Amino acid sequence: MKRYSLLLFLLVALNACLAPPIKPPADRSGSLQSILVIPVEPPPLEVMPDLIESRLPIYRQNDTVPYDLFLERKIYRNPGGVLIAGLVSHNDIVPEPSLPRIASVADNPELAPVASLAENWAPTLVLAREAAEMLTAGGFKAVSAEQYYPLPIAPGNRTANLAYWHNAIRQWYNGDTSSVDYRSHAKERVDAVLEVGIGTYRIFESQTPLQVLVKLIDPATGHVIGRADADAYPVAGAAPNLLDHEAEKFKKLVTDVGAKLVHRGLADLGLPAPRQARSDQQSIEAVSAAMASSLSE
């Protein structure tokens, strides 16, 4: 219970530390024609209760088993490519991914190729493509880049300690200027750059809190001209079921709910983007109910 209370505290603290939203003036957003969409590196997924309890049931007896003697917190890859920060036993057989060794953005303000993510599933890459499709449907010339924005984390800190990841997310989102010179990355001149990131990203009991963060940047100056966040707390089933069968249900949940949060963020930035016909335009609550029903079958 204490672990869960701490998790809820950290969830509130992360949201409280985010900078206030910025809505661009109507004449500024209305003058945009071409937009480059950049996915931001996502954090690893956090799961509570830890999946070690389903892989090795003996660890459910947390009052009698000394965790520190047998377990280590690591980042490992689900068979579906989802990166998870969690406990790993010395007897576990879970693949540990080779994370791209990227210098912090502050030291090396460059985008990284999406190909460097290898077999890892990156939810922000999916949501960036959703954003580009929505903007295109709204009349913009929008394209999702084949590069992503690495979070400002030193290589030695790219561990299962999620405090490093959360601090980096706040540093990126709260910044008023971009460290990347987008003029050198756009194949053609663009009027704005939309960065799409994730804040809250976890499975807590049967709930899957998700927070999408978007920033609109003037590529000529690097100044942030818009910033918005949107979150949801769908209840769609326990982690072992969501992440089973190569995490197909989890990926669909994040994609469906995330697309609606992206749409909400674009609206807050004053960017007209017709809602995509995903899940027959169901509400987030309806998507959650449908997912929970499929898991119970």
Side-chain angles (χ1 to χ4, degrees), residues 10-263:
L10 293 175
L11 179 77
V12 173
L14 175 63
N15 292 341
C17 293
L18 292 178
I22 300 173
K23 185 167 185 176
D27 58 341
R28 184 66 181 274
S29 58
S31 66
L32 302 179
Q33 296 182 353
S34 58
I35 300 177
L36 177 66
V37 184
I38 301 287
V40 176
E41 181 181 16
L45 176 68
E46 184 176 14
V47 180
M48 296 292 286
D50 197 283
L51 290 171
I52 191 75
E53 297 186 9
S54 59
R55 294 197 308 273
L56 300 171
I58 188 174
Y59 289 105
R60 293 176 190 163
Q61 305 173 34
N62 56 9
D63 292 332
T64 59
V65 177
Y67 269 45
D68 294 342
L69 291 179
F70 303 102
L71 302 179
E72 184 178 358
R73 188 167 293 277
K74 293 183 178 181
I75 296 177
Y76 61 92
R77 185 171 55 234
N78 168 274
V82 178
L83 294 185
I84 300 171
L87 295 172
V88 176
S89 167
H90 300 311
N91 299 323
D92 248 338
I93 304 178
V94 289
E96 296 181 33
S98 55
L99 298 177
R101 294 187 62 82
I102 303 169
S104 67
V105 172
D107 297 331
N108 182 26
E110 287 295 328
L111 301 180
V114 168
S116 67
L117 296 174
E119 299 176 354
N120 304 335
W121 184 71
T124 49
L125 177 59
V126 176
L127 297 182
R129 290 170 178 165
E130 291 280 348
E133 291 178 6
M134 292 180 191
L135 289 169
T136 299
F140 295 97
K141 181 180 179 181
V143 60
S144 179
E146 289 304 315
Q147 295 170 305
Y148 71 96
Y149 185 109
L151 288 173
I153 307 175
N157 292 338
R158 290 177 172 273
T159 67
N161 184 345
L162 291 174
Y164 293 122
W165 297 84
H166 294 160
N167 288 338
I169 291 167
R170 288 194 295 270
Q171 182 179 334
W172 158 71
Y173 184 74
N174 292 351
D176 293 326
T177 59
S178 175
S179 59
V180 175
D181 182 1
Y182 281 115
R183 292 171 299 181
S184 63
H185 289 284
K187 294 182 180 179
E188 301 178 2
R189 180 184 177 277
V190 294
D191 300 319
V193 174
L194 180 75
E195 295 176 342
V196 180
I198 281 182
T200 306
Y201 178 56
R202 56 173 56 93
I203 302 176
F204 177 55
E205 295 289 356
S206 294
Q207 195 172 63
T208 308
L210 181 66
Q211 180 186 46
V212 172
L213 309 171
V214 291
K215 293 178 68 175
L216 195 63
I217 297 168
D218 182 341
T221 64
H223 292 158
V224 174
I225 57 178
R227 179 167 54 210
D229 69 280
D231 52 27
Y233 302 85
V235 178
N241 290 331
L242 284 174
L243 295 170
D244 197 12
H245 302 296
E246 297 192 348
E248 291 180 359
K249 292 173 180 173
F250 174 75
K251 293 177 184 177
K252 184 178 189 310
L253 176 67
V254 171
T255 301
D256 289 350
V257 173
K260 299 177 191 310
L261 297 179
V262 166
H263 182 269

Side-chain angles (χ1 to χ4, degrees), residues 257 260 275 278-289:
V257 173
K260 299 177 191 310
R275 185 186 294 276
R278 177 173 293 282
S279 297
D280 296 325
Q281 299 186 3
Q282 294 175 324
S283 67
I284 290 175
E285 292 76 12
V287 170
S288 303

